[in-house]
Amino acid sequence: MLPTLRSFMDTHGLPDVVIVADAGMVSEANMDAIEAAGLSYILGGKMPRVPYVIDQWHKDYPDTDVPDGLTLVARWPGGPSTKGRDVTTFYQYAHDRGRRTIKGIEAQVAKAEAAVAGKASGKPNRFVQLSGGTRSVNRELEEKAKALAGWKAYVTNLPDPDAQMVIGAYRRLFQIERSFRMAKSDLRARPIYHRKQDSIEAHLSIVFAAMAVAHWIGQTTGWSIKRFVKTARRYRTFTIAAGEHTITAVDPVPDDLAQALDAIKARSSTH
C-alpha cells in the first residue's frame, strides 16, 4: 500500500501525507516502512507501562485528582531510524474515559477474584495469574491498569506539533472510518481483498467516490446517507407497456423526501 501511496503523492505533487491510524492497526514492519518512506504520521500509541511523564506528574502532585483534559508531552530526538525526525507523544487524560475504564477494570478484577476462589468458571481473564499451579489475582497488573485509566497516547513525527491539532486529527479518524463503513454497507461497495496494484487502486477509487457522493448528499439535504438511502429506496418509477400505450406509474413521494430531492436537483444545476 505504501508504494501505491507514494505513487499517488508523486503523481499529484504532494510533498507529504500524514498517516493517521490506531497503534493496533500498525505493525512494527509497517512502522518501519512508514519511516523508510519518509512519511508523517499520527498514531494512537500503546502504553505497556506507565510513562515517565505520567508517573512524574503523580509524584509532583500526590493525592491530587488528574484534571480533565490534562495533556503531558514527551519528546525523543530523531535518529537514523526516523530519518532525523523527532518523535513527540502527547498523553491526554479524559475523566469520562477514566471512569469507564475503572468500571471495566473493577468488573474484571471481581471476576478474577471469583475465579481464584473457585466460585466462577476459569474463563480467560488478564488479572488471573498462574504460578506453580496456583492461581491468584495479579494486583500489580491491576494497579498499573488503574494508573493508566483515562489516559490516551498520541504519537507523531510532525515537526513542532500542536497537541490540539494532533489529538483532533486522531479523533476525526473515527469519522473517516465510519464513512468507509457507510460507503461499504449503505452504498453496497462490498469489501474485496486485492493483491494487485490496479485492483487496489480501483477499489479505493470506488470507495472514495462513494464517500464523496455521500458527503455531498449529506451537505445538500441535511440528511445522513443512511436515512437518504433507506428512505429513497422505497420509491420506484415503473414503466408499463400495454399494447401501443406506455404508462408510467410513480409511487407518491413524501414531502420531506421531495424537499431533499429538490435540494439535490437545485445544487446539481449550479455545478
Side-chain angles (χ1 to χ4, degrees):
M1 182 60 72
L2 285 176
T4 301
L5 178 59
R6 173 56 66 182
S7 175
F8 178 85
M9 291 170 59
D10 294 340
T11 300
H12 295 275
L14 299 177
D16 193 14
V17 167
V18 180
I19 296 175
V20 183
D22 188 77
M25 300 296 293
V26 181
S27 65
E28 185 175 347
N30 288 338
M31 193 69 242
D32 292 340
I34 292 172
E35 296 282 10
L39 299 174
S40 299
Y41 60 79
I42 295 174
L43 304 176
K46 297 179 181 179
M47 289 188 285
R49 61 186 64 85
V50 179
Y52 169 80
V53 290
I54 296 178
D55 185 56
Q56 188 61 45
W57 188 93
H58 284 291
K59 290 179 180 178
D60 293 340
Y61 303 93
D63 303 321
T64 302
D65 292 335
V66 183
D68 186 36
L70 176 67
T71 303
L72 305 176
V73 185
R75 290 187 172 89
W76 290 268
S81 63
T82 63
K83 291 187 176 293
R85 303 176 73 172
D86 294 347
V87 176
T88 303
T89 302
F90 295 102
Y91 300 97
Q92 188 179 72
Y93 179 83
H95 175 75
D96 287 344
R97 185 193 302 128
R99 176 180 53 79
R100 292 193 303 269
T101 304
I102 289 292
K103 184 178 180 180
I105 292 171
E106 291 178 344
Q108 291 183 44
V109 169
K111 291 180 180 178
E113 292 171 342
V116 170
K119 298 179 181 179
S121 60
K123 293 182 179 180
N125 188 308
R126 63 173 175 150
F127 293 106
V128 176
Q129 62 182 359
L130 185 64
S131 178
T134 302
R135 292 190 299 178
S136 62
V137 179
N138 191 335
R139 299 299 180 184
E140 183 178 348
L141 179 59
E142 177 188 359
E143 182 180 356
K144 186 192 80 169
K146 288 183 175 180
L148 290 174
W151 290 97
K152 178 72 176 179
Y154 307 88
V155 186
T156 182
N157 64 347
L158 290 169
D160 301 319
D162 174 75
Q164 185 175 359
M165 183 277 292
V166 169
I167 296 172
Y170 181 84
R171 288 176 176 172
R172 286 194 295 275
L173 178 63
F174 171 75
Q175 298 174 348
I176 296 171
E177 291 175 338
R178 183 175 60 182
S179 296
F180 266 85
R181 288 195 296 271
M182 170 277 298
K184 291 187 176 184
S185 57
D186 297 334
L187 298 179
R188 297 188 178 182
R190 301 173 70 87
I192 303 173
Y193 299 95
H194 303 291
R195 292 182 177 81
K196 295 182 179 180
Q197 181 170 334
D198 288 347
S199 299
I200 293 172
E201 291 180 350
H203 185 63
L204 287 176
S205 296
I206 293 171
V207 173
F208 273 105
M211 286 176 57
V213 171
H215 284 297
W216 187 88
I217 291 175
Q219 291 174 354
T220 302
T221 64
W223 288 21
S224 69
I225 189 61
K226 183 175 183 179
R227 177 189 174 190
F228 181 81
V229 172
K230 186 176 181 181
T231 303
R233 184 182 292 150
R234 296 198 299 264
Y235 301 94
R236 298 285 191 273
T237 298
F238 302 93
T239 300
I240 304 171
E244 297 180 354
H245 301 281
T246 301
I247 303 173
T248 301
V250 182
D251 286 333
V253 176
D255 292 340
D256 58 346
L257 179 58
Q259 292 175 2
L261 294 174
D262 288 341
I264 291 174
K265 292 176 182 177
R267 188 173 180 185
S268 299
S269 64
T270 60
H271 289 76

